[in-house]
Amino acid sequence: MARRDPPYASLLTGTLCLLIFVELVWVQLRFASVLPGNQRDAVKSVARDVGVSHAPLHQDPPSLLNPAIIVFCYDRPGYLNQTLTSLAALPELADFTLYISQDGNHTGVQGVIETHRAALAALTAGFESWQRPRVPQLGPRQPGHAWLAQHYKWGLDRLFLKGGHSHAVIVEDDMLFSPDFLTLFMETGWLLDADPTLWCISSWNDNGFSKDHDWDPTRLFRTSYFPGLGWMLSSRLWEELGPAWPQQHWDHWMRMEGVARGRDCVVPEVNRNRNIGEVGANMDRAAFRKSLQTMGWAREAPAAGFGDVRYLLQPAYDAAARAAVAGAQILPPAALRGAAPPPDLRGGAALVPYLQEDYARLARRTGVWAFPRGHYRFLTSVPWRGGRLLLADARRCDLLPGALRTLPTPGMRGVAAEPGVSCSAACRARGAVCSKADLHFLNTCAALMRAFPCPRGCSLEWGQDLPNMVAEGARNHSSPGTCYVTQQMPQCRGQAPETRRLCACVPPGTVADEAAAAVRRPRFLRPRVRAGETGGAEALAGA
């Protein structure tokens, strides 16, 4: 006999589908500000049809079970005093246990901690200060970032494994905090449990420069580029990361694809902390004045708070990002270069598919970080010129339609060179040509691990001979067997005696020479424009 569903099954199924659809529509509303006017109106029309109002469906977020704050410090008592004074002013501090973890026993730092001890003990759910024995794991001359990475490992192990906390907010001794700094974590922390594609909450927008950008203080977004600088993780994540935590460059390690595994962080458009450290493990005065000093931050907490943050959940967020891309007019990078006045977006959105070769110039013109940061799957969204500017890496952003993607040169193959051999020579020996443009497709840990064993993993490095693997028998290198990618522009001619390059070799005649292989640009197809719409045709007239 055929199986019959209960009479209410179809009703339940239909109700579930409607709820999911309503949720997706609400998320589209949240993103409506990045869509052109006609599409924004269409989204609102659909919302009215299914009875979804523009008001957020706000509920009190689930509370964090046993959260803690840990302040990492070393030898800067003046900065630490400002940080602890700022921290003590936060109204939600009573919900957190506070730890101050000192690397070593600097007497000035000890004095600052003792000055604040009584007040902080009264303001928090618990207070402790620690001193880590300052023993170098990479030798007495290890760099500052190695000391910091080793301190992080020691402190977070103690917080999670001995303290039993559910979440940790990590700050350093050179930060000031917005009034709603802790509110951010309390209202969004539940997302880390609800969505496995999220792995941190951060108070820092890498592109949060105040000049030329009208950021929304209530708006949050997802970034695939780990931001750090005042961030929260869960105990579950530390169970994963702690055993493999690196002895140096911990933040670079967090950005490796094999570590991040496609996960994102939630960040605010307007920063919730201000970095005051002109000199530190990874900072000098010139770099500070060029970048961090010009960052905006929230001096006041918005009355409405952050609202309903469910729009940050997958797959709804992804659907909204695709809608923003589909609804934007298309501009070539050339439209943002030169002396011509930049376009006025007038409440709409413009999409600029770029190659990494173009990004530094685009960044200077649009006022964002010089290397792609703060992006969602290589789509960077910034308020600019009265609308939204969407910068999309044509090689790596899978949110772009196929017509706007730049693909590898036909016939391109990855070649593992011998130690000390440049890609120019390695390709030539095989009757091929090195394609500088195609090196970008091989500049990933996944590509390196297909070509090399990479027994010591994959990390980030700078130099002319990248991407590569340090030869396993290398005698004059600290990390034999490690594979390296770079954030710089890969070159064909770079070489080093003890590294093996991964080379992009293409058939002769595919490109005229190595230089020509670097100038292929995305195709800008003229889109269809329906009556009453303003598409990309006007912008493409000179493409």
Side-chain angles (χ1 to χ4, degrees):
M1 178 181 292
R3 176 182 175 273
R4 298 184 61 186
D5 290 331
Y8 51 81
S10 59
L11 176 61
L12 289 175
T13 302
T15 302
L16 178 60
C17 291
L18 177 60
L19 288 173
I20 293 173
F21 179 62
V22 167
E23 182 75 5
L24 286 170
V25 170
W26 182 82
V27 172
Q28 297 281 11
L29 279 172
R30 182 68 179 177
F31 275 82
S33 62
V34 306
L35 298 175
N38 62 299
Q39 291 204 3
R40 182 166 59 245
D41 294 340
V43 167
K44 292 182 178 180
S45 175
V46 173
R48 288 193 298 269
D49 291 344
V50 297
V52 180
S53 71
H54 191 52
L57 309 173
H58 186 72
Q59 299 175 351
D60 290 335
S63 59
L64 303 179
L65 293 178
N66 184 19
I69 303 167
I70 184 166
V71 181
F72 287 101
C73 59
Y74 168 42
D75 65 348
R76 302 185 293 180
Y79 286 152
L80 179 62
N81 183 61
Q82 295 182 66
T83 295
L84 297 182
T85 299
S86 181
L87 199 60
L90 300 180
E92 295 93 346
L93 194 60
D95 296 317
F96 292 78
T97 300
L98 176 62
Y99 300 99
I100 301 177
S101 187
Q102 180 184 358
D103 202 17
N105 56 5
H106 188 282
T107 55
V109 169
Q110 292 179 23
V112 169
I113 294 172
E114 292 306 316
T115 299
H116 288 268
R117 181 177 296 278
L120 292 175
L123 291 170
T124 59
F127 175 79
E128 290 184 32
S129 62
W130 308 324
Q131 289 182 334
R132 182 184 86 103
R134 195 168 164 82
V135 178
Q137 298 174 12
L138 298 178
R141 301 184 66 180
Q142 69 178 20
H145 58 74
W147 289 105
L148 186 58
Q150 294 158 29
H151 189 188
Y152 265 51
K153 165 68 171 171
W154 184 88
L156 291 174
D157 268 350
R158 189 163 179 171
L159 183 151
F160 283 120
L161 303 184
K162 294 184 179 180
H165 291 283
S166 62
H167 299 79
V169 176
I170 300 170
V171 301
E172 296 179 14
D173 58 353
D174 56 2
M175 295 181 180
L176 304 179
F177 307 102
S178 300
D180 58 352
F181 174 77
L182 293 178
T183 306
L184 169 67
F185 301 110
M186 295 179 73
E187 293 191 4
T188 60
W190 67 273
L191 294 170
L192 300 180
D193 296 318
D195 189 342
T197 67
L198 290 173
W199 69 332
C200 91
I201 311 294
S202 174
S203 62
W204 185 258
N205 175 6
D206 277 312
N207 290 318
F209 300 98
S210 55
K211 183 180 179 181
D212 298 328
H213 299 138
D214 186 19
W215 297 107
D216 183 346
T218 68
R219 184 172 177 168
L220 309 175
F221 66 97
R222 294 174 69 124
T223 172
S224 305
Y225 187 92
F226 174 74
L229 291 172
W231 60 288
M232 183 173 74
L233 79 163
S234 68
S235 60
R236 185 182 68 255
L237 181 62
W238 187 248
E239 290 176 4
E240 173 193 330
L241 299 182
W245 193 258
Q247 295 179 324
Q248 59 182 329
H249 284 308
W250 72 268
D251 50 344
H252 296 332
W253 178 79
M254 290 282 287
R255 293 167 186 143
M256 294 292 95
E257 61 203 78
V259 179
R261 295 194 287 117
R263 293 172 291 191
D264 302 321
C265 295
V266 169
V267 300
E269 285 201 348
V270 178
N271 292 323
R272 261 41 187 201
N273 82 76
R274 179 169 179 79
N275 191 292
I276 58 174
E278 292 190 23
V279 177
N282 299 306
M283 184 60 61
D284 58 39
R285 286 187 173 86
F288 178 86
R289 291 167 183 167
K290 181 180 179 180
S291 54
L292 298 185
Q293 193 172 47
T294 61
M295 286 284 181
W297 68 304
R299 303 293 187 97
E300 299 178 355
F306 296 104
D308 192 320
V309 298
R310 288 177 296 171
Y311 65 93
L312 296 163
L313 294 169
Q314 285 276 38
Y317 189 92
D318 193 77
R322 292 183 185 277
V325 168
Q329 64 170 315
I330 304 170
L331 295 178
L336 304 183
R337 298 200 300 263
D344 188 343
L345 302 184
R346 299 185 182 182
L351 173 67
V352 181
Y354 68 87
L355 298 180
Q356 187 178 341
E357 296 90 322
D358 301 315
Y359 193 82
R361 286 174 292 182
L362 289 175
R364 286 193 295 271
R365 187 67 185 269
T366 58
V368 296
W369 202 274
F371 175 84
R373 294 186 174 209
H375 59 77
Y376 174 65
R377 293 165 59 178
F378 293 94
L379 177 71
T380 304
S381 172
V382 293
W384 192 69
R385 301 287 296 174
R388 276 272 157 179
L389 186 65
L390 307 176
L391 304 175
D393 188 321
R395 291 188 182 99
R396 306 186 71 177
C397 181
D398 60 5
L399 300 170
L400 285 175
L404 297 179
R405 298 290 301 275
T406 294
L407 303 177
T409 299
M412 186 273 283
R413 60 192 177 108
V415 170
E418 294 302 315
V421 178
S422 71
C423 283
S424 299
C427 292
R428 191 181 310 117
R430 290 162 175 79
V433 177
C434 175
S435 170
K436 178 181 175 181
D438 286 298
L439 283 171
H440 291 274
F441 295 106
L442 302 180
N443 187 35
T444 69
C445 291
L448 284 166
M449 289 179 175
R450 286 193 296 267
F452 299 113
C454 304
R456 296 189 61 179
C458 184
S459 189
L460 185 68
E461 190 54 274
W462 283 261
Q464 297 297 310
D465 60 328
L466 297 157
N468 68 28
M469 184 189 77
V470 181
E472 294 183 66
R475 297 181 178 181
N476 300 310
H477 198 286
S478 60
S479 302
T482 302
C483 287
Y484 288 104
V485 295
T486 182
Q487 292 182 350
Q488 295 175 300
M489 298 292 297
Q491 305 292 325
C492 285
R493 293 184 173 87
Q495 63 190 77
E498 295 187 319
T499 63
R500 298 187 62 190
R501 298 209 53 190
L502 180 56
C503 306
C505 299
V506 299
T510 308
V511 292
D513 53 34
E514 294 170 10
V519 298
R520 292 185 295 112
R521 294 292 186 259
R523 294 173 294 161
F524 292 93
L525 302 183
R526 190 178 300 270
R528 297 178 184 176
V529 181
R530 292 186 291 270
E533 292 186 353
T534 55
E538 296 86 349
L540 296 174

